[in-house]
Amino acid sequence: MLSDGDWLALWVGIKLALVTTAILLLLCTPLAWWLARRRVPGAALLEAIFALPLVLPPSVLGFYLLIALGPQGPGGWLAQLAGMRSLAFSFPGLVIGSVVYSLPFVLQPLKNAFVALDQRQLDMAAVAGARPLDRFVSLVLPQARPGYASAAMLGFAHTLGEFGVVLMIGGSLAGQTRVASVALYEHVEAGDYASAHRLAAVLMVISVVLLWALFRWQRRAGAQARGRGDWL
């Protein structure tokens, strides 16, 4: 069984993943829609910037986030507004860093889902007098459900497994910034391989369940789109 400290670290990581995923779904929905439906100069460069966390070493991203969230960076002003000394080494700081680090894992599935939409249906709804918000709610969201499922699960799983960025900007404060990946690293550093094995096994099971749910959802959505029900 996991120790109380490991359960707490796991809960902090899950809470971080839930909050980050919810924020990213809200932020990335209009951003992905704009990228998928508009052709503007510089869009490719903008997408490249958003995708940087996919290729940038976590230590590099974590370093600049640490500077930005510190008292001398933009985060110092935000911390003052929130009545905090600093956003670095705090749970809100972890959320900000995780939003930046996991953004492409939510943005890309949503953009792909929006690109794949049947434009004729949207045009027909517009001709029929449906307002943009009505078209989005009644036509776009139902068709983009697989994309939202992929985005939510990938964002959650990626945030839960973060290590380099969260260690750089959050450290290891029990109950605040010490997440499961950091706890696992500390067990290995201390030579406590038994605790490391148990925590790693729990994280592996969570990851497998998330991926199984994602692939099952995708197969089901694909079968329904083809008018078949043999998705098991």
Side-chain angles (χ1 to χ4, degrees):
M1 291 294 294
L2 299 181
S3 66
D4 291 342
D6 286 347
W7 280 119
L8 182 59
L10 186 61
W11 162 242
V12 172
I14 291 175
K15 181 173 69 170
L16 175 65
L18 288 172
V19 173
T20 299
T21 302
I23 292 174
L24 280 174
L25 288 174
L26 291 175
L27 290 178
C28 289
T29 292
L31 180 58
W33 180 257
W34 181 75
L35 290 173
R37 315 302 292 186
R38 297 288 184 270
R39 297 294 180 265
V40 295
L45 176 60
L46 190 61
E47 288 192 68
I49 294 174
F50 289 143
L52 267 180
L54 293 174
V55 297
L56 199 63
S59 56
V60 174
L61 184 60
F63 170 70
Y64 284 111
L65 283 172
L66 179 62
I67 299 300
L69 295 176
Q72 305 305 317
W77 177 73
L78 292 175
Q80 290 181 356
L81 289 179
M84 302 171 58
R85 292 184 57 188
S86 173
L87 286 173
F89 306 107
S90 69
F91 186 80
L94 277 189
V95 171
I96 294 174
S98 297
V99 165
V100 173
Y101 188 49
S102 295
L103 186 143
F105 291 86
V106 175
L107 178 63
Q108 198 60 45
L110 291 183
K111 181 196 167 188
N112 292 341
F114 293 152
V115 168
L117 292 174
D118 188 350
Q119 182 62 41
R120 292 173 300 178
Q121 292 186 14
L122 297 177
D123 293 340
M124 291 174 61
V127 171
R131 293 175 298 178
L133 182 59
D134 294 333
R135 298 198 299 269
F136 190 84
V137 172
S138 61
L139 292 176
V140 174
L141 289 182
Q143 294 185 56
R145 281 185 301 176
Y148 273 94
S150 299
M153 293 181 187
L154 288 175
F156 182 91
H158 186 255
T159 303
L160 187 63
E162 285 181 37
F163 173 70
V165 171
V166 295
L167 182 63
M168 185 76 77
I169 65 177
S172 181
L173 301 177
Q176 299 181 51
T177 63
R178 184 176 184 260
V179 297
S181 58
V182 173
L184 177 59
Y185 172 76
E186 291 175 344
H187 287 322
V188 174
E189 267 205 323
D192 187 0
Y193 288 170
S195 296
H197 275 303
R198 289 192 291 268
L199 186 53
V202 171
L203 290 173
M204 188 174 298
V205 168
I206 293 175
S207 299
V208 170
V209 169
L210 286 173
L211 289 174
W212 168 80
L214 172 60
F215 294 143
R216 190 170 185 257
W217 173 275
Q218 289 177 337
R219 291 187 62 188
R220 180 181 183 182
Q224 288 178 341
R226 295 188 299 269
R228 297 189 288 109
D230 53 336
W231 53 274
L232 293 176

